[in-house]
Amino acid sequence: MNFIPGFRSKTKWKMIIASIYYLLSLSALVSSFGTFLIFLALPFVVFGLMEMIKYKEKKAIVTFVVALVVLIIGASITKPSKAPTETAKTTTTTANEATTKTNNIVTNTEKTTKPDTTIDNKDNNLKRTVIGTATDLGAGTFIAGRDIKVGTYDATAPAGQGNFIINSSDGALITNEILGNSNGVGVNKVRVVLSDGWQIKISNLNKVHFEPVVSNSVPNKQQITLYSGYWLVGLDIAPGRYIAGNNVSSSSNFIVYDSSGIPKVNEIISNSSDIGVKQVTINLNKGDIINISGSNGITLIPQ
């Protein structure tokens, strides 16, 4: 006890404060071992340094050096890993309050922009204008219109698993996925709409294949399964009333924007009873945009 800050003087109030601090440090083990080491070593570093300067004791030097090493180890443990990690998904509740979700989905209030759609709306009949060329990109940062043609694509990772992020030209987050499914984490495929100047960031993957979407429009209401990405009502799915559920993945964000870009549906569809909802009933109008993230398939059943 003679070497532990807070207990060396045998002063009661100092011992009480120190005990509370060390208990709080111990509770940090629940979230991160690195954070625990940082909190544990911090008093020894501070008071060791003070004693070195004030009393010039050799024992204080040993305490300071050992504590500093522990502090550095803790800091290095808490650094982000290069392995793919689930990053923040953007959603808001109807009360405009940030909502926290577990099960590899975390929400915040970061700005998200829905992409422009590459469609022809002539004569009120939506038809897909096929734009783009099949392209393979590896790890790195790329610009749509320069490194890959603009258009609508299905992006897949033939092997491995990594982070796949798309930002608009003004920096707004468009797509944020772990691409490549492993042990139930990540998605197999992402439907992306690339506009000129948008930035694509790929990490921990040797190759991502972008295949242009050439499928025809869906003229009539029918059961359909949509995976992660952006989908246009009137083109990828017929307008109407649906129940969205039967999520293949554990938890997914499901957002529907109206034609003016305002979210009219914003739910977590989950297989867990502790988070989100199992299904949601929605009314889809022509021109609505469906944004799904963190999912290998959500089934929409016509009503």
Side-chain angles (χ1 to χ4, degrees):
M1 290 302 207
N2 292 331
F3 295 95
I4 301 177
F7 291 89
R8 296 175 298 182
S9 64
K10 301 291 192 298
T11 304
K12 188 173 182 180
W13 68 269
K14 290 183 179 180
M15 294 172 64
I16 293 174
I17 293 175
S19 298
I20 294 173
Y21 178 85
Y22 292 124
L23 285 173
L24 290 174
S25 300
L26 189 63
S27 68
L29 276 171
V30 177
S31 59
S32 170
F33 182 67
T35 303
F36 164 71
L37 291 180
I38 292 172
F39 277 101
L40 182 64
L42 194 58
F44 291 89
V45 172
V46 173
F47 288 103
L49 183 61
M50 291 172 58
E51 289 179 358
M52 286 170 55
I53 296 172
K54 187 174 182 180
Y55 302 109
K56 298 181 180 180
E57 294 184 3
K58 292 183 179 180
K59 292 182 179 179
I61 296 175
V62 176
T63 302
F64 173 77
V65 172
V66 172
L68 185 62
V69 170
V70 174
L71 183 67
I72 293 172
I73 293 173
S76 65
I77 293 175
T78 57
K79 287 184 178 179
S81 172
K82 291 184 179 179
T85 55
E86 186 69 53
T87 46
K89 302 293 188 298
T90 302
T91 185
T92 53
T93 63
T94 53
N96 292 323
E97 296 176 347
T99 304
T100 301
K101 302 179 284 182
T102 57
N103 229 358
N104 298 320
I105 303 286
V106 180
T107 64
N108 55 33
T109 54
E110 184 180 0
K111 178 184 177 183
T112 298
T113 301
K114 71 182 183 65
D116 296 328
T117 53
T118 53
I119 60 168
D120 179 7
N121 198 20
K122 186 177 180 180
D123 299 327
N124 202 33
N125 183 24
L126 296 178
K127 295 181 180 179
R128 191 185 307 280
T129 301
V130 180
I131 304 175
T133 303
T135 304
D136 291 334
L137 298 176
T141 301
F142 307 92
I143 302 297
R146 185 189 70 187
D147 303 305
I148 181 174
K149 290 185 177 180
V150 299
T152 303
Y153 295 87
D154 280 328
T156 57
Q161 185 183 59
N163 291 321
F164 181 77
I165 300 172
I166 298 175
N167 292 95
S168 67
S169 54
D170 64 358
L173 183 66
I174 301 296
T175 299
N176 190 354
E177 295 284 356
I178 293 178
L179 189 56
N181 191 295
S182 176
N183 298 322
V185 178
V187 298
N188 298 318
K189 187 186 301 184
V190 184
R191 174 66 59 89
V192 298
V193 181
L194 298 179
S195 296
D196 190 51
W198 285 14
Q199 186 181 75
I200 305 161
K201 294 180 182 179
I202 300 170
S203 60
N204 208 48
L205 286 168
N206 288 315
K207 184 171 76 171
V208 172
H209 178 71
F210 293 80
E211 185 67 27
V213 176
V214 298
S215 58
N216 295 324
S217 62
V218 179
N220 302 314
K221 279 204 311 181
Q222 57 185 272
Q223 181 171 314
I224 189 170
T225 299
L226 305 178
Y227 43 89
S228 279
Y230 287 87
W231 308 85
L232 180 63
V233 179
L235 183 66
D236 301 304
I237 181 173
R241 187 174 176 84
Y242 295 83
I243 291 179
N246 193 27
N247 189 11
V248 175
S249 301
S250 57
S251 293
S252 305
N253 288 328
F254 185 87
I255 304 174
V256 180
Y257 299 94
D258 64 20
S259 57
S260 63
I262 299 174
K264 66 179 189 180
V265 176
N266 191 349
E267 292 287 354
I268 303 167
I269 297 182
S270 172
N271 296 324
S272 171
S273 59
D274 299 326
I275 182 172
V277 298
K278 292 188 178 300
Q279 61 184 33
V280 58
T281 302
I282 54 176
N283 293 310
L284 298 178
N285 301 315
K286 182 178 288 188
D288 287 353
I289 296 287
I290 301 172
N291 178 20
I292 300 173
S293 56
S295 179
N296 284 308
I298 290 178
T299 301
L300 287 86
I301 302 174
Q303 298 300 297

